[in-house]
Amino acid sequence: MVWLILGLALFLGVHSVSIVSPQGRHALAQRMGEGGFKGLYTLVSLAGFALIVWGYGLAREAPVLLYTLPTGMRHLAALLMLPVFVLLFAAYLPGRIQRAAKHPMLLAVKFWALSHLLANGTLADVLLFGGFLAWAVADRISVKRRAAAGLLRSAPTRAGGPVNDAIALVGGLAVYAVFVLWAHAWLFGVRPMG
């Protein structure tokens, strides 16, 4: 469990610089140079991700059960996962979906984490998915506050239309189907639909 916690601390910690100190990222990037900051950010993120994967795998060998929800919650979890890949696509494809979601990546993380908390009740699951859910909620609140204070650099508005939305929708649902039918079992050893 220690490796999972360390991985979460590194990964979510480096992704929380702007949450903890809205001007901290800018100050660090100026001190280190943009390239140096991004390089360090990438290395810490990769190290954290590797520790999360390793630590979660180790924790699954001796699970500590915290709760068990009714089997029907797995169906709700599958339903909550439906928009996740669509939102991930939309995060990179400007269009109506992206504008409506405002922050599709954060929304995707929230749906992903909540759905997995409904389907899994071990300590490792609560740490992993609960940690990501708490981070996504905190980051969304932080984004709103930074925007209101004028501290958020706005990304250039890119035109996008129905084609991008169609790609996000069809591509996202196709990836969802691949995960449900094959990839989730292959990657994690668990079939979401039993």
Side-chain angles (χ1 to χ4, degrees), residues 24-56:
R25 187 243 183 253
H26 180 69
L28 279 172
Q30 278 191 325
R31 218 175 297 140
M32 300 173 69
E34 192 68 30
F37 176 78
K38 286 182 178 179
L40 180 62
Y41 184 95
T42 300
L43 287 174
V44 173
S45 293
L46 287 172
F49 183 75
L51 287 172
I52 289 170
V53 170
W54 188 44
Y56 186 73

Side-chain angles (χ1 to χ4, degrees), residues 107-191:
L107 190 54
V109 170
K110 289 178 193 175
F111 278 125
W112 169 79
L114 180 59
S115 69
H116 282 78
L117 285 170
L118 292 175
N120 306 288
T122 69
L123 178 58
D125 295 317
V126 170
L127 289 172
L128 176 63
F129 303 115
F132 271 92
L133 181 59
W135 170 81
V137 169
D139 198 34
R140 181 64 179 108
I141 292 167
S142 174
V143 166
K144 285 182 183 178
R145 287 185 180 159
R146 285 181 281 155
L151 298 173
L152 200 59
R153 287 187 286 165
S154 58
T157 306
R158 298 179 298 169
V163 172
N164 282 354
D165 289 332
I167 293 169
L169 188 61
V170 172
L173 292 176
V175 172
Y176 173 83
V178 168
F179 255 80
V180 167
L181 299 173
W182 176 75
H184 200 278
W186 180 69
L187 290 169
F188 310 110
V190 176
R191 292 193 171 280

